[in-house]
Amino acid sequence: MTWISMLIKFCSATEMNSSSALFVTPNSMLYEPVQQTAIWGDFSVNGFLNPPSPFILEVDGKLSNQSEDSSHGMGGILDGYNQDDSKQGEKVSRRLAQNREAARKSRIRKKAYVQQLENSKIRLLQLEQELERAKQQGQFMGGGIEVSHLGYSRNRKPGIEAFEVDHGHWVEEQNRQTTELRNALKSHSGEIELRILVDSCMSHYFNLFHMKATAAKADAFYIMSGMWKSQAERFFLWIGGFRPSELLKILIPRLETLTEQQQVEAGNLKQSCHQAEDALSQGMEKLQQILASTISAGELGEGNYLPQMGAAMEKLEALVRVLNQADHLRQETLQQLARILTTRQAARALLALGEYFERLRALSSLWCSNTNESA
Amino acid sequence: MDKVMRLASENGLVIFSKSSCCLCYTVNILFSELGVSPYVHELDQDPEGKDIEKALIKMGCSAPVPAVFIGGKLVGSTNEVMSLHLSGNLMPLLKPYYSFN
């Protein structure tokens, strides 16, 4: 008896419910009836089956046990046939076993494939977020997308992401205020309007110091290295920000019509700012010395340095204090300068300062696009 | 606290400090740059150090160290010293204590 005739006999002998289906391919593998069929990648939602070639039928978990049983059942049915067909019976059993094996492998492959898709999806979402973040920073920093920024984002401490977003807004607002000052001075605005602008400008800087203080508690190293600043700004970095004496050096010569009294006071401010800055720089160096000797304590090369790590972490707490002190110095410098000057002079000074930072950011952006092009 | 007031009144210029504190070092450096030599009392080398710290906080100092006294009066910590200096009001206070080399 040929296997086809066996098949026909089998079809009539077994009960087939409406949802089961039996498939035959040219390469003569006999398939069992299944209640649910799932051929991954080939089933559409409403269950219509488009058999590809070659054709592999997947049997779901529950059914695979049943298929074992039904094969015995099959065997039982086959037992009813004559001796001639027992060889055929063996072949069929073998083929059934091969089919089960193939189905099992197919299930494993499907699982792996789905897992891979899931992982890729997560990775894609991450990349999209990073890109969005980098774009935003590029906007706020004048268009430069730094690869180093993307690299750092993987190690960010909580609170730093929020700081970066807030800082982006801060820069936007600063640019807006700078423009307002420019327009007000051009149109010869009155004392009162200028006073309002000067005060809100000053508050805006003080806001930044406040933001930095919070962020420094989250990640002092991040603030220390000026990671949120554009490259050109970072070139002039001093303890997590701009150098106050540098600020005075840029602004004071540009102030026209300083009275003698003002000149004396400005000179004194320059000197005391320099002295305070100097002292704090040395304090910073002292912290570096302390940290270096803490890290290198004991035998260098020993391989076990857990105690040094604990001690060093304690020393690092001082970093936040130093950062706050530097920002305090910046704030005091700005306040004292504003106190010495008239409202109009202060407005001019703040305009000059605002544009100075704008220019640094523009330079960074140009630098970035230059670097990208040559890459 | 008695000890604190005694030390402050005995010496014109006093800095309560800790040897490992970098801001104490900063204030010290600033004073020497300004031509004065304060009496520095290291709390980590004083067995009563902890008590002195508590007393300084109670007196209203923003941080226990550095705590600066000029002419027996508490001036404050690093912030206060810096603010005074930038506003030009520190030098006049230090005048009586200039060391002439």
Side-chain angles (χ1 to χ4, degrees):
Chain A
M1 205 187 253
T2 64
W3 70 269
I4 289 188
S5 48
M6 227 171 57
L7 183 63
I8 294 169
K9 274 218 161 100
F10 172 67
C11 284
S12 43
T14 61
E15 259 185 16
M16 294 172 51
N17 57 35
S18 53
S19 62
S20 67
L22 194 66
F23 298 93
V24 168
T25 64
N27 59 12
S28 53
M29 281 181 81
L30 182 69
Y31 292 91
E32 298 152 13
V34 290
Q35 306 233 304
Q36 294 163 350
T37 57
I39 298 149
W40 56 269
D42 290 305
F43 251 89
S44 58
V45 176
N46 55 13
F48 286 107
L49 190 63
N50 306 306
S53 61
F55 186 82
I56 295 178
L57 188 71
E58 188 194 283
V59 180
D60 73 8
K62 249 197 301 181
L63 218 50
S64 61
N65 292 330
Q66 285 182 26
S67 67
E68 305 263 330
D69 293 329
S70 53
S71 75
H72 290 146
M74 281 280 279
I77 291 167
L78 289 171
D79 278 342
Y81 292 94
N82 58 33
Q83 252 326 69
D84 229 352
D85 296 314
S86 68
K87 271 208 179 151
Q88 292 278 21
E90 273 175 39
K91 268 194 187 169
V92 168
S93 310
R94 219 177 21 247
R95 294 238 164 86
L96 288 173
Q98 282 171 357
N99 183 36
R100 278 196 298 281
E101 187 56 32
R104 192 181 68 85
K105 285 187 179 155
S106 169
R107 281 196 298 280
I108 293 171
R109 276 200 297 279
K110 174 186 177 177
K111 224 180 172 187
Y113 178 65
V114 168
Q115 187 60 47
Q116 197 187 51
L117 282 179
E118 288 293 314
N119 291 343
S120 298
K121 188 176 93 169
I122 292 171
R123 182 73 190 123
L124 193 65
L125 280 173
Q126 277 177 355
L127 285 173
E128 275 178 8
Q129 279 176 9
E130 279 183 30
L131 190 63
E132 195 50 49
R133 208 179 297 134
K135 265 198 213 156
Q136 275 185 359
Q137 282 158 7
Q139 254 175 23
F140 301 142
M141 296 195 300
I145 293 182
E146 303 169 56
V147 178
S148 59
H149 251 273
L150 289 176
Y152 198 100
S153 71
R154 281 180 247 287
N155 300 321
R156 260 179 206 167
K157 288 195 162 206
I160 294 303
E161 293 224 12
F163 172 75
E164 289 212 342
V165 172
D166 288 344
H167 180 258
H169 297 146
W170 187 90
V171 169
E172 273 187 344
E173 177 62 18
Q174 195 199 22
N175 291 339
R176 197 193 60 77
Q177 285 183 354
T178 305
T179 307
E180 246 192 303
L181 279 168
R182 196 179 293 124
N183 295 337
L185 286 166
K186 260 199 197 138
S187 60
H188 306 288
S189 295
E191 169 86 14
I192 299 174
E193 193 184 325
L194 282 180
R195 188 77 246 161
I196 294 173
L197 284 178
V198 165
D199 286 346
S200 65
C201 231
M202 295 287 281
S203 306
H204 196 54
Y205 280 111
F206 303 159
N207 279 347
L208 179 62
F209 302 141
H210 191 74
M211 281 162 56
K212 284 171 70 184
T214 309
K217 278 196 213 125
D219 190 347
F221 278 142
Y222 177 90
I223 298 294
M224 184 67 198
S225 355
M227 293 303 294
W228 76 94
K229 286 179 175 281
S230 65
Q231 291 98 321
E233 286 174 286
R234 230 180 291 149
F235 181 62
F236 294 98
L237 204 70
W238 176 78
I239 311 188
F242 61 83
R243 208 178 259 278
S245 61
E246 190 63 36
L247 190 140
L248 294 177
K249 234 188 270 176
I250 292 168
L251 297 183
I252 291 179
R254 278 172 178 70
L255 293 166
E256 340 141 320
T257 64
L258 281 178
T259 67
E260 241 188 79
Q261 169 76 1
Q262 283 181 320
Q263 281 178 32
V264 168
E265 286 187 318
N268 289 341
L269 180 61
K270 242 178 158 181
Q271 189 184 41
S272 49
C273 179
H274 223 292
Q275 287 165 334
E277 204 178 277
D278 230 21
L280 190 54
S281 292
Q282 292 191 52
M284 185 66 189
E285 277 170 29
K286 171 106 170 136
L287 180 58
Q288 285 176 332
Q289 276 171 34
I290 291 174
L291 190 63
S293 59
T294 305
I295 286 274
S296 58
E299 264 210 57
L300 272 175
E302 200 180 32
N304 169 35
Y305 38 76
L306 219 53
Q308 285 85 342
M309 291 301 109
M313 285 294 280
E314 262 183 54
K315 302 289 184 227
L316 283 178
E317 287 167 19
L319 193 54
V320 182
R321 279 194 84 191
V322 176
L323 283 169
N324 290 344
Q325 204 59 59
D327 275 346
H328 178 262
L329 198 59
R330 291 176 187 113
Q331 180 158 326
E332 280 300 310
T333 305
L334 281 171
Q335 269 176 325
Q336 288 305 318
L337 184 63
R339 189 187 59 82
I340 295 172
L341 303 175
T342 64
T343 308
R344 194 163 296 270
Q345 287 169 330
R348 258 188 261 277
L350 287 169
L351 170 59
L353 187 62
E355 187 164 317
Y356 178 69
F357 289 129
E358 251 183 60
R359 291 189 189 184
L360 282 177
R361 286 191 290 269
L363 180 64
S364 307
S365 161
L366 184 62
W367 168 265
C368 277
S369 53
N370 220 33
T371 314
N372 288 337
E373 272 169 28
S374 53
Chain B
M1 185 194 176
D2 285 341
K3 183 161 183 178
V4 170
M5 294 322 290
R6 184 173 52 82
L7 285 168
S9 52
E10 275 175 13
N11 305 278
L13 260 183
V14 182
I15 305 180
F16 288 96
S17 158
K18 276 191 194 159
S19 49
S20 58
C21 169
C22 49
L23 286 187
C24 301
Y25 186 73
T26 296
V27 168
N28 218 342
I29 293 283
L30 180 64
F31 277 8
S32 39
E33 212 168 306
L34 298 179
V36 292
S37 321
Y39 168 73
V40 178
H41 192 82
E42 305 281 13
L43 293 187
D44 50 339
Q45 289 159 13
D46 185 337
E48 293 178 88
K50 287 279 173 192
D51 295 327
I52 297 179
E53 263 189 70
K54 285 189 199 145
L56 289 169
I57 301 269
K58 247 190 183 162
M59 290 175 79
C61 202
S62 49
V65 291
V68 176
F69 285 77
I70 303 180
K73 280 209 284 244
L74 174 64
V75 163
S77 190
T78 326
N79 274 4
E80 288 73 34
V81 170
M82 294 296 190
S83 301
L84 272 177
H85 189 46
L86 260 68
S87 61
N89 296 318
L90 184 62
M91 297 282 270
L93 285 177
L94 296 177
K95 256 209 176 125
Y97 308 103
Y98 282 157
S99 41
F100 299 96
N101 298 330

